[in-house]
Amino acid sequence: MLRRDGRLFRRGVIPALVLSLLLAAVIAAASFAVLQGASAGAARAEVLLVDQEDSLYSRIAISTVEAQSYIDSLLHIESADDEDEAIARLNAGECAAVIILPEGYLNDIMVGNAAKGRIILSDAAAASADIVASVALFGERLLAAGQYGVFAGQKLIWDHGLSADFEKNFLLVSNTGLMDAALSLYDEAFAVETTAYDGTSLSITAYYAVAWLVLFFTLAGLFFMGLYLSDNRSDMLTRLYALGVTPGRFFLGKWLWPLLFHSIFAILLLVALSRVLPLTLTVFSLLLFLLGLLVLSQFVSCLSVMFADRGLAFGSISAMAVTGLFLAGGIIPRSMLSRSLTVVGRFFPSGLVSACFAPLFGGKADWLCIALAAALAGLLYVLTLRVLAKRPIGRGGDPES
């Protein structure tokens, strides 16, 4: 039977390969679009800046601040000629906020006078007003603390009657040091850590790659429907069993050959994905990935053989694959789904396979889901053999029926 199934597999492997390549292209485009939507919250905010002082020093100061990596990662700052223009563009929805720096603010900062700019938020960003105000207040207090240190040093110079040159040099060194400290604060005082995506152990890109890979391999298994249904009739099974073929031997090639196809195709996909995603290539992660492919192969082949109906098997498996993608957050972002749906998605067949794939993409091993995935494959295998053993009997045992 394995040789016969091998010939059937070779006969259908070229169409399956072509269809798999087309499916991979469609899924890659769809997953990229969904990923872009889920990552939209990380896009830079458009901000208009009105510099009412408009001096050489103010332009230098603004350019220096804009060039900082952490500022550039959060804001795209564009200059506006005046306040009226900026407010008009804000109302037109061209930006998220307007920052207005008053005339003489640099001089006020240098001598210790209160110098307050204004931040005007759009209606869409108004919900973040408290956060913006807190960040601005933090920057104001940080700057004030540094300036108070400079003023204290200046007072000591005056109290001890030191020379004007000494005072001038002190102010130059102190203000320059204060500027350097402020600009290097982000890199030196903060440790940046990228957290996993929405309670998972994967980055957002890796999470979506895993979810859509599960969908791809599930649907790709449907391209071998002819192999699953070949000889899967009561009359043929009766003859095969009479010749000594067991249900296990009959079913072996119907899951083993698709698994081989999936494994070879997976190598090509992983090579491509390694260019955009860091992969954790260990014996452990590769074995778990292979287990995931085995579970998917068993899932598709077992259901197809048990249903023994092309339309019913194709429709049911496709519906379950898309449902699993939805529950995983692959269609609607996971953060927008209820907690109960994500829990169901975790223990859905596609979620169990995702747990097997995750370690290869840097995720943690979810041993409960991995064990359930292996149990699901074993349960489906046993059920399929029982269905195959009873199928001739269920048709009355008549080889000609």
Side-chain angles (χ1 to χ4, degrees), residues 250-335:
F250 174 82
F251 183 54
L252 176 62
K254 300 188 184 303
W255 65 264
L256 184 59
W257 290 114
L259 174 61
L260 177 63
F261 176 84
H262 288 163
S263 299
I264 296 174
F265 207 96
I267 295 175
L268 301 177
L269 285 178
L270 292 179
V271 170
L273 286 173
S274 65
R275 298 180 179 275
V276 295
L277 277 175
L279 300 181
T280 306
L281 297 175
T282 64
V283 174
F284 169 73
S285 64
L286 291 173
L287 287 176
L288 284 182
F289 187 82
L290 183 60
L291 173 63
L293 292 179
L294 172 62
V295 174
L296 278 180
S297 179
Q298 291 283 5
F299 178 76
V300 176
S301 59
C302 285
L303 292 183
S304 299
V305 169
M306 282 193 288
F307 288 145
D309 180 275
R310 181 183 297 271
L312 181 60
F314 195 96
S316 300
I317 295 172
S318 298
M320 293 185 71
V322 174
T323 301
L325 182 65
F326 167 76
L327 293 174
I331 299 176
I332 297 176
R334 177 184 171 90
S335 57

Side-chain angles (χ1 to χ4, degrees), residues 171-184:
L171 291 176
L172 177 62
V173 173
S174 299
N175 283 310
T176 302
L178 181 60
M179 176 71 77
D180 291 340
L183 295 178
S184 62

Side-chain angles (χ1 to χ4, degrees), residues 53-316:
E53 178 169 316
D54 196 26
S55 65
L56 174 62
Y57 290 120
S58 70
R59 290 194 293 270
I60 292 175
I62 292 171
S63 298
T64 302
V65 172
E66 288 178 352
Q68 298 306 301
S69 59
Y70 66 97
I71 295 292
D72 185 63
S73 66
L74 297 174
L75 306 175
H76 176 253
I77 301 176
E78 183 180 344
S79 297
D81 294 334
D82 54 51
E83 182 176 343
D84 292 338
E85 176 198 347
I87 297 300
R89 293 176 63 180
L90 178 70
N91 293 333
E94 296 181 19
C95 62
V98 171
I99 300 175
I100 301 175
L101 301 177
E103 186 176 354
Y105 74 93
L106 274 182
N107 184 64
D108 287 336
I109 290 174
M110 294 300 295
V111 300
N113 294 334
K116 292 185 178 293
R118 285 189 293 152
I119 301 175
I120 305 173
L121 298 175
S122 67
D123 293 338
S128 305
D130 290 340
I131 297 175
V132 173
S134 298
V135 171
L137 181 60
F138 170 75
E140 179 183 337
R141 289 178 174 175
L142 186 66
L143 180 61
Q147 285 300 110
Y148 289 154
V150 175
F151 299 151
Q154 192 175 33
K155 185 176 184 302
L156 286 174
I157 292 174
W158 293 342
D159 290 344
H160 290 79
L162 299 177
S163 66
D165 289 340
F166 186 90
E167 179 183 357
K168 181 178 179 180
N169 184 64
F170 167 77
L171 291 176
L172 177 62
V173 173
S174 299
N175 283 310
T176 302
L178 181 60
M179 176 71 77
D180 291 340
L183 295 178
S184 62
L185 179 66
Y186 180 81
D187 295 325
E188 297 180 359
F190 295 94
V192 179
E193 181 177 348
T194 302
T195 59
Y197 173 58
D198 197 40
T200 68
S201 60
L202 296 166
S203 67
I204 183 171
T205 306
Y207 182 83
Y208 275 86
V210 168
W212 285 83
L213 272 178
V214 173
L215 176 71
F216 168 76
F217 283 115
T218 304
L219 297 181
L222 296 175
F223 299 149
F224 297 98
M225 197 61 68
L227 173 63
Y228 304 139
L229 302 182
S230 177
D231 304 327
N232 193 4
R233 306 186 312 274
S234 176
D235 57 342
M236 183 59 70
L237 287 174
T238 301
R239 292 191 180 97
L240 291 174
Y241 294 166
L243 294 173
V245 176
T246 63
R249 286 180 57 193
F250 174 82
F251 183 54
L252 176 62
K254 300 188 184 303
W255 65 264
L256 184 59
W257 290 114
L259 174 61
L260 177 63
F261 176 84
H262 288 163
S263 299
I264 296 174
F265 207 96
I267 295 175
L268 301 177
L269 285 178
L270 292 179
V271 170
L273 286 173
S274 65
R275 298 180 179 275
V276 295
L277 277 175
L279 300 181
T280 306
L281 297 175
T282 64
V283 174
F284 169 73
S285 64
L286 291 173
L287 287 176
L288 284 182
F289 187 82
L290 183 60
L291 173 63
L293 292 179
L294 172 62
V295 174
L296 278 180
S297 179
Q298 291 283 5
F299 178 76
V300 176
S301 59
C302 285
L303 292 183
S304 299
V305 169
M306 282 193 288
F307 288 145
D309 180 275
R310 181 183 297 271
L312 181 60
F314 195 96
S316 300

Side-chain angles (χ1 to χ4, degrees), residues 31-52:
S31 60
F32 179 76
V34 176
L35 175 61
Q36 290 295 100
S39 305
R44 296 190 301 170
E46 297 289 335
V47 175
L48 291 178
L49 176 66
V50 180
D51 179 16
Q52 294 182 339

Side-chain angles (χ1 to χ4, degrees), residues 335-401:
S335 57
M336 298 177 64
L337 297 179
S338 66
R339 175 64 178 169
S340 57
L341 284 179
T342 58
V343 171
V344 173
R346 178 191 174 196
F347 295 106
F348 209 69
S350 57
L352 301 181
V353 176
S354 295
C356 297
F357 285 1
L360 185 60
F361 293 85
K364 297 179 181 178
D366 186 343
W367 288 111
L368 174 59
C369 288
I370 291 172
L372 290 175
L376 175 64
L379 176 62
L380 288 174
Y381 182 77
V382 171
L383 289 176
T384 302
L385 295 188
R386 294 194 62 179
V387 169
L388 286 172
K390 293 182 178 181
R391 181 155 290 160
I393 301 174
R395 297 290 182 86
D398 183 1
E400 300 298 327
S401 62

